[in-house]
Amino acid sequence: FGGGNKNPQAESYATRAQQYVQEEEEEQDLAGVGIVFVRAPDNSLFVKSIIEGSGAQNSGIQVGDCLMKVEGRSVYCKGIETATKLILGPVGTMVKMKFGRIDRGKRYVYSQSLVRELKATSAPQWQINSANTMIEGITTSQLYLECMQNGQAQPGDPS
């Protein structure tokens, strides 16, 4: 009697449940770098804005720069999910990002290492907005998602 009648299914279930809880806790401790991206039709990501007070603010990254790589892995034309999984990480850790910029007809590529310092929202709420822009007499209309962080609008996808 005793000792040898353990239920392997129950132990397996308990182990999976414990792993799930640990993953959920880890996700809640993720932080970003303070860059808001906008996704182009080809799934490439461009800097839409930089959150005031973030490390990215004084890094030299500019609105309009294109995200090329994160931690040495290409994210070009791979969408926000791929980039977000690589950008988000534990608070206080570094992430290396490579950007492209076109300035006066010349293409520049540069790398920047940033500290993950801004807590990511685990379940952001989204709002659909639109904007019209006129450039050289041509009006363009855009539909975009606006992330609502703590009830306040944060344009695009914060990472």
Side-chain angles (χ1 to χ4, degrees):
F1 300 133
N5 289 335
K6 291 185 178 180
N7 183 340
Q9 275 187 318
E11 285 180 9
S12 175
Y13 177 76
T15 301
R16 285 194 312 262
Q18 185 177 11
Q19 288 172 340
Y20 176 78
V21 168
Q22 184 177 356
E23 287 172 5
E24 286 293 310
E25 288 173 356
E26 288 173 2
E27 277 187 28
Q28 292 175 2
D29 292 335
L30 296 179
V33 295
I35 301 173
V36 179
F37 293 99
V38 63
R39 182 178 58 88
D42 66 356
N43 269 340
S44 57
L45 301 174
F46 292 86
V47 176
K48 181 173 182 176
S49 63
I50 297 172
I51 296 175
E52 190 174 325
S54 69
Q57 185 178 18
N58 296 317
S59 67
I61 296 169
Q62 295 179 9
V63 170
D65 288 354
C66 182
L67 182 62
M68 308 296 287
K69 291 184 177 185
V70 178
E71 294 296 337
R73 294 180 58 191
S74 175
V75 295
Y76 184 68
C77 296
K78 294 186 180 174
I80 192 68
E81 278 189 30
T82 300
T84 300
K85 287 178 183 177
L86 294 169
I87 294 170
L88 295 180
V91 175
T93 59
M94 299 292 288
V95 60
K96 187 174 183 179
M97 304 169 76
K98 184 179 271 188
F99 293 88
R101 176 184 302 158
I102 297 177
D103 188 17
R104 293 179 227 153
K106 289 188 176 183
R107 183 173 180 255
Y108 300 93
V109 176
Y110 67 95
S111 295
Q112 191 62 257
S113 292
L114 298 170
V115 176
R116 295 175 176 115
E117 57 188 345
L118 298 174
K119 288 285 269 181
T121 301
S122 59
Q125 295 178 341
W126 298 92
Q127 174 179 318
I128 299 174
N129 284 320
S130 63
N132 293 320
T133 308
M134 182 178 278
I135 300 174
E136 297 180 11
I138 299 172
T139 302
T140 60
S141 297
Q142 300 175 357
L143 279 177
Y144 61 93
L145 288 176
E146 194 165 36
C147 181
M148 308 297 286
Q149 296 278 2
N150 302 322
Q152 296 184 0
Q154 299 291 324
D157 294 301
S159 296

